[in-house]
Amino acid sequence: MSASDDRYSIGPIGAGDRDAFVRATGLSFGETLDDDEIAHLIAMELDDPARSLAARDGDRIIGTTTVLDYTMSVPGADPVSCAGVTSVGVAPTHRRRGVLRSLMRRQLDDLHAAGTPWAALYASEAGIYGRFGYGVASRCQTFRLDGPWRRFTEPVVPTGVALVDVADAAPLLSDVYERMRTDVPGMMSFAEDKWRLYLEHDPPGVRSGGSARQVVTCGDRGFVVYRIRRGWGDAGPDGTVQVERCMATDSDAWRQLWSYVCGLDLVQHLEAHMRPVDDPLPWWLAERHRLVITDGTSCYIRLVDVGAALSQRGTTADTAVVLDVADTFCPWNTRRWKLAGDGGALQCTPTDEAADAALDVRELGSLSLGGISPYELARAGLIEAHRPDVLDRLAVLLVSRHPPWNPFVF
C-alpha cells in the first residue's frame, strides 16, 4: 500500500465533477483551459465519468486518470477491448507522495476485475510508466522536408483528389479509417462522432500559427487533413504545410495524397507527425535522404491479464515457447506462460514446464503487437534467453504483417 492511501481518497467522479476534473488535469500539465476547451475535452473523454478516478485532498481534486473504451486491432484476429488510459496527472503541490502510484494501482485492479485484458496510453514523460508494466509497443515518425526535395522520382498529377468541406468530412474519414485498421494492429476505434468532434474543434489557439484545417480526399480511398502556415522571406514565399492526418487504403491513393501536399503552391516546407514507420512517402521521393525523420510519440501497452490478452490475437506460426514473466505491479501475471500457435490461433496458458526465456511484463507488452523485435530487446539485455532458438520462435509467433500504428494521441 502506498503512503498516499492513508491521506488521499481515490474514487470515481460524478457528472458534476467533470469541470473540476478537467481543470485539475490541465493544471498538472501547466495549462489554463478556457470554457470551450473544457467542453471539448468533456465531450471527447468524459461522456462516462464513472470511468474516471480522482484523488482528493479533502474536497479538492489533486490527481486524475480516466479510461476510454476502445477496441484495438491486433494481428490475425478481430479487434479486442482495450482501455485507453488518459488524463493522468497530479497537482504540482502533491508530487512525490504516492498519488500517481495509488491511481495506477486502483485503475489496474479495476480493469482486471472487469475482465479488460489490454490497456494502452501515451506518455508525456517516457520514464514514468515502465514501473507500472507499460511497454513501448507501437512507434511512429515525424517527417520534415524542405524546398526542392519534395520532388518525386516519377511525378504524379493528383487528378483524383478533391477538397471537402470540413463539416461534411467525418463520415468519409471514419469509413477510410475503419477499413484501414482491419490490417494495422494497434489502431484504436474512433467513431464517426469523434471524428466530427475532432474536425469541428479548431479554435485559433490550437493552430500553432496555421490556417483552419483543410480536408482533401481521394475518392473513398483516402484523405489528408492539413493546415498551411504562411511565411515570406527575402526570396519569396516560405510557407509550411502541416499534415495532421494522411491515410489511405491503397498505394495509388497514398501516392496521390502525398503528391498533392508536396506540390502545394507558396509552400517550401512539409511537416507531418504521427506517421507509421512503413509510410510509403520516402520510397517516392527523388532524394529520400533529404527527408528528415525523427522518432515520434510511442504508444505503450499494458497486459493487464497476460493469458487473456495474448490468447486474443492470432499467429501464422506453428510452434511454442515458454516464458517466465515477472510482474511486480500486477502479481497475478507472475508465472510461466506457454505461448503456442497452430498457424492461426495463439494460446497463452499457465504452465509448469521449464522456461525458454525470462522477461518482465513490460517487455512482453512491447512484443504483444508484433512491432518490436525480440532480438532488439535481447540485445538490450531485456530478454534472458535460456535456449539458442527461443528468439527465433518468439519472433515468428508474435510477428505482424504490418507494424503497429495508431494515428492519434489520446
Side-chain angles (χ1 to χ4, degrees):
M1 180 177 291
S2 68
S4 69
D5 287 336
D6 296 329
R7 291 181 286 172
Y8 311 119
S9 63
I10 293 178
I13 68 170
D17 297 319
R18 291 185 296 186
D19 275 34
F21 182 95
V22 173
R23 292 183 191 278
T25 304
L27 179 64
S28 69
F29 285 92
E31 298 175 344
T32 302
L33 304 173
D34 60 29
D35 291 343
D36 287 344
E37 188 68 20
I38 290 172
H40 174 71
L41 289 170
I42 288 174
M44 289 290 288
E45 299 180 356
L46 294 177
D47 56 342
D48 182 4
R51 302 288 280 156
S52 303
L53 293 172
R56 301 175 189 265
D57 187 351
D59 293 331
R60 183 185 171 198
I61 295 177
I62 49 88
T64 61
T65 183
T66 193
V67 164
L68 305 177
D69 291 321
Y70 288 126
T71 62
M72 178 180 69
S73 303
V74 295
D78 293 334
V80 300
S81 177
C82 180
V85 175
T86 189
S87 297
V88 182
V90 176
T93 54
H94 288 70
R95 302 279 168 85
R96 309 294 184 263
R97 303 188 192 182
V99 176
L100 176 61
R101 182 180 179 85
S102 294
L103 286 167
M104 293 290 101
R105 171 80 280 141
R106 170 67 182 271
Q107 187 174 66
L108 285 168
D109 285 346
D110 287 353
L111 291 174
H112 186 241
T116 304
W118 299 82
L121 58 76
Y122 285 90
S124 55
E125 294 185 30
I128 294 176
Y129 294 98
R131 66 182 184 269
F132 306 126
Y134 287 87
V136 173
S138 173
R139 296 186 277 207
C140 68
Q141 303 175 133
T142 294
F143 291 165
R144 171 82 184 193
L145 192 60
D146 297 314
W149 312 121
R150 293 173 295 139
R151 181 172 56 87
F152 279 26
T153 302
E154 297 179 9
V156 174
V157 178
T159 57
V161 303
L163 277 165
V164 176
D165 192 304
V166 170
D168 300 326
L172 188 144
L173 271 57
S174 177
D175 178 67
V176 170
Y177 183 88
E178 284 302 312
R179 284 186 285 134
M180 187 173 177
R181 84 181 188 107
T182 59
D183 275 342
V184 181
M187 290 181 68
M188 303 291 176
S189 53
F190 204 65
E192 183 178 320
D193 63 322
K194 298 299 184 184
W195 278 107
R196 186 171 290 106
L197 286 168
Y198 154 67
L199 291 168
E200 292 176 351
H201 181 71
D202 194 21
V206 305
R207 297 177 185 175
S208 301
S211 67
R213 287 192 182 97
Q214 300 182 47
V215 178
V216 164
T217 62
C218 187
D220 63 355
R221 299 178 295 137
F223 64 85
V224 58
V225 182
Y226 66 95
R227 305 180 189 275
I228 298 292
R229 187 172 67 236
R230 293 189 300 170
W232 294 86
D234 293 339
D238 193 38
T240 299
V241 55
Q242 303 168 305
V243 177
E244 289 191 357
R245 306 282 184 271
C246 184
M247 301 181 63
T249 58
D250 63 77
S251 60
D252 176 67
W254 278 110
R255 190 178 179 113
Q256 291 208 46
L257 291 164
W258 276 125
S259 179
Y260 170 82
V261 294
C262 286
L264 286 166
D265 290 336
L266 307 182
V267 165
Q268 293 296 318
H269 313 284
L270 179 146
E271 297 173 357
H273 300 273
M274 299 294 290
R275 303 313 309 152
V277 297
D278 61 345
D279 193 298
L281 175 61
W283 295 101
W284 296 323
L285 296 173
E287 302 286 345
R288 65 174 292 168
H289 63 289
R290 301 290 185 175
L291 178 66
V292 179
I293 301 175
T294 55
D295 288 340
T297 305
S298 298
C299 185
Y300 289 69
I301 290 291
R302 210 311 172 184
L303 301 178
V304 182
D305 185 315
V306 166
L310 294 181
S311 294
Q312 287 182 332
R313 54 152 293 173
T315 182
T316 58
D318 185 3
T319 188
V321 63
V322 176
L323 302 176
D324 190 359
V325 177
D327 190 344
T328 57
F329 203 68
C330 295
W332 56 80
N333 287 321
T334 297
R335 62 167 307 138
R336 276 169 281 170
W337 296 92
K338 184 173 185 177
L339 280 177
D342 62 3
L346 182 69
Q347 292 295 320
C348 182
T349 54
T351 183
D352 293 326
E353 296 179 31
D356 298 314
L359 73 170
D360 191 86
V361 73
R362 178 184 61 235
E363 278 65 61
L364 190 55
S366 293
L367 296 172
S368 62
L369 297 179
I372 307 296
S373 163
Y375 307 106
E376 181 180 350
L377 296 182
R379 178 174 289 179
L382 299 174
I383 297 178
E384 182 182 350
H386 302 326
R387 304 181 190 278
D389 66 340
V390 63
L391 297 180
D392 296 336
R393 285 183 280 139
L394 192 53
V396 296
L397 275 168
L398 296 179
V399 71
S400 170
R401 182 172 59 175
H402 294 287
W405 177 54
N406 188 51
F408 61 89
V409 174
F410 49 83

